Every structure is written in structure tokens, then in C-alpha cells.
């Protein structure tokens, strides 16, 4: 049995993508909350004096990268939910007993979850344009895509790792929501980290989403709190670590 089987990874990726695209309600539901946050916050705080906001950047420009990052966090983390739904219908047991390595299964899940999360983030980015959002340079979009993929891989890996420890989707959903919102609010997605108290800033610095949002803000609107190299390096480390943790924990899932 191969440690990594590209055909198995592709098959699982294709299954997740098809299942996502064939359920419009899931697509709409996945972008509804970030879009509501974007609309109400952008217009509600339009023209307000927000401490720490970069000079020359209005709140909409500042907020959109944060909402794109939140969309990635929300969509990618819930990718683990598909593992539990597959467990309920018996599909998970079938792939676990198949002659395919657990590593290939995890990589296929991560590829599928990352792709669907990326679609959701791009939709939010496109919907923000009629609201007045403008990218500073179209040449920055490929680098923005790199940041989006690293955010997706990090949090899909997190979702897989967490789902491997649960046997029911209800418990998983509650824990994910308990984790998602602190990560979101500590990432600087809706207000500058420099306005946090010092102990809270320390917590923000160990949050991978902080560097994802900051990197997106740097390449999309030209404003960031950290260097691009730091943002990229932190996300590379977090993505490798979470894929490793997800694979390690999934290896211990029993086919029952």
C-alpha cells in the first residue's frame, strides 16, 4: 500500500467538490454569515473613528480581507463535519478498510475542504466589489491566493484533527463554534490588534488567522501590521503542523 496515492486523493477531492457544488443551500449558507457581518459592520462603522486604523484606509477596505479570512476559517473548519456525516452513512468505514493509506485519505479531505473554502472566500471577495471594495493591484491576486490556500489548509487540518476525536456531529459543531469565534475576534479581522490590551495581543500572536488576515490585507489593500515574510512564514508553519496533527490523529480512527 502506497503511503501517498494520488488517485485516491483526487477521488476524495472530486467527491467533496461535487457534493459542495450540487448543494446550493450549502453554498448560500456558508457565505451568508460573513456577508451579513461585512454589510452591517462596513456601513454601520462607515466614517467612524477607529483607533489603530491605517492612515488613508477606510473601514470597508480594512474589513473585507478580515471577512474573507473569516469565511476561510468558517468553511475550512467545518470541512471536518463531512467526515462525521460520512461516518453516519457508512462511507467512512468503507474508505478506512480500503487498501488506501490514511495519509492519502487525510490529504484528499484537506484538498477537497480547501477547495470548497476557497470558493466561498472568492464569492465573498466578489460580492464586496459592488459594496465599494477595491484591490490595490490585480498583480497581487496570485499572492492573495497563496494566503487563502495556506489559511484553508491550516484550518481544514484543524477540522480533520478535531473530527477524528468525535463520534457525533452535534458535539463537533458545538466545539468548532466555540473555537472559531475567539480565533475570529483575536485575528484583527474587524479591528486592529494594536487596540487590544497587551495580554490579548499576546494571544493574537499565536493565532494563525492573525497572520492570514494581515497577509491578505497587505496584498489586497496595501496595509498590514507585520511584514509579509512573517505572515507567510507563520502560515507555512501552521499549515504543516495542522496537516501533521490531522494525519496523526486520523491514523487512530477505528473502522467501526
Amino acid at each position: 500500500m502506497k503511503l501517498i496515492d494520488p488517485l485516491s486523493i483526487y477521488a476524495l477531492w472530486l467527491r467533496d467538490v461535487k457534493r459542495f457544488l450540487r448543494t446550493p443551500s450549502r453554498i448560500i449558507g456558508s457565505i451568508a454569515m460573513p456577508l451579513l457581518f461585512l454589510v452591517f459592520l462596513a456601513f454601520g462603522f462607515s466614517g467612524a473613528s477607529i483607533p489603530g486604523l491605517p492612515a488613508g484606509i477606510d473601514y470597508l477596505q480594512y474589513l473585507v480581507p478580515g471577512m474573507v479570512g473569516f469565511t476561510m476559517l468558517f468553511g475550512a473548519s467545518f470541512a471536518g463535519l463531512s467526515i462525521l456525516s460520512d461516518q453516519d452513512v457508512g462511507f467512512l468505514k468503507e474508505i478506512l478498510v480500503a487498501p488506501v493509506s490514511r495519509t492519502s485519505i487525510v490529504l484528499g479531505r484537506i484538498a477537497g475542504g480547501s477547495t470548497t473554502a476557497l470558493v466561498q472566500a472568492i464569492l465573498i471577495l466578489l460580492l464586496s466589489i459592488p459594496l465599494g471594495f477595491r484591490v490595490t493591484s490585480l498583480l497581487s491576486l496570485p499572492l492573495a491566493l497563496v494566503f487563502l490556500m495556506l489559511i484553508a489548509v491550516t484550518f481544514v487540518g484543524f477540522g480533520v484533527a478535531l473530527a477524528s476525536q468525535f463520534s457525533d456531529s452535534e458535539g463537533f459543531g458545538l466545539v468548532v463554534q466555540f473555537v472559531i469565534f475567539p480565533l475570529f475576534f483575536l485575528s484583527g479581522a474587524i479591528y486592529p490588534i494594536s487596540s487590544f490590551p497587551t495580554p490579548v495581543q499576546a494571544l493574537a500572536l499565536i493565532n494563525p488567522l492573525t497572520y492570514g488576515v494581515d497577509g491578505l490585507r497587505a496584498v489586497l489593500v496595501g496595509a498590514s501590521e507585520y511584514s509579509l515574510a512573517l505572515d507567510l512564514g507563520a502560515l507555512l508553519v501552521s499549515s504543516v503542523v495542522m496537516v501533521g496533527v490531522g494525519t496523526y490523529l486520523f491514523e487512530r480512527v477505528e473502522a467501526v
Side-chain angles (χ1 to χ4, degrees), residues 9 11 56 109 134 137:
I9 294 172
R109 289 295 192 183
R134 295 293 179 266
S137 172

Side-chain angles (χ1 to χ4, degrees), residues 83 86-87 90-97 109 250 253:
I83 293 177
D86 284 344
Q87 179 177 278
F91 179 75
L92 182 62
K93 179 179 179 179
E94 292 178 4
I95 60 174
L96 288 177
V97 299
R109 289 295 192 183
F250 193 78
V253 174

Side-chain angles (χ1 to χ4, degrees), residues 18-250:
K18 283 185 174 180
R19 185 163 59 173
F20 177 74
L21 295 177
R22 289 173 178 172
T23 51
S25 59
R26 181 181 170 189
I27 299 174
I28 295 171
S30 65
I31 66 172
M33 184 181 294
L35 187 60
L36 286 173
F37 266 111
L38 178 59
V39 171
F40 286 111
L41 288 175
F43 291 104
F45 288 95
S46 178
S49 178
I50 299 176
L53 201 67
I57 302 294
D58 65 36
Y59 189 58
L60 175 65
Q61 293 291 108
Y62 183 86
L63 183 63
V64 168
M67 289 301 101
V68 171
F70 174 55
T71 306
M72 296 295 291
L73 169 67
F74 193 78
S77 297
F78 271 93
L81 191 61
S82 65
I83 293 177
L84 296 174
S85 64
D86 284 344
Q87 179 177 278
D88 292 339
V89 299
F91 179 75
L92 182 62
K93 179 179 179 179
E94 292 178 4
I95 60 174
L96 288 177
V97 299
V100 179
S101 70
R102 299 289 179 93
T103 302
S104 296
I105 295 172
V106 171
L107 292 178
R109 289 295 192 183
I110 289 175
S114 298
T115 303
T116 57
L118 187 61
V119 170
Q120 296 167 39
I122 291 174
L123 286 174
I124 289 293
L125 192 57
L126 291 175
L127 290 171
S128 70
I129 294 175
L131 299 176
F133 178 72
R134 295 293 179 266
V135 178
T136 53
S137 172
L138 293 178
L139 297 177
S140 65
L141 291 179
L143 187 54
L145 189 63
V146 171
F147 275 100
L148 289 173
M149 287 305 300
L150 289 174
I151 297 170
V153 170
T154 296
F155 289 105
V156 172
F158 163 74
V160 170
L162 192 60
S164 66
Q165 304 304 299
F166 282 83
S167 58
D168 65 292
S169 56
E170 291 82 4
F172 172 81
L174 289 173
V175 172
V176 164
Q177 291 190 55
F178 180 77
V179 173
I180 277 179
F181 285 100
L183 289 175
F184 168 52
F185 290 118
L186 285 171
S187 69
I190 56 178
Y191 32 67
I193 291 175
S194 58
S195 64
F196 293 172
T198 301
V200 181
Q201 288 187 38
L203 290 176
L205 291 176
I206 60 175
N207 178 7
L209 188 61
T210 297
Y211 303 99
V213 169
D214 193 65
L216 287 173
R217 202 167 274 141
V219 298
L220 292 176
V221 301
S224 64
E225 295 199 38
Y226 313 113
S227 70
L228 204 59
L230 175 61
D231 291 332
L232 192 59
L235 278 179
L236 280 170
V237 171
S238 67
S239 61
V240 171
V241 169
M242 290 314 304
V243 169
V245 171
T247 302
Y248 174 80
L249 293 177
F250 193 78

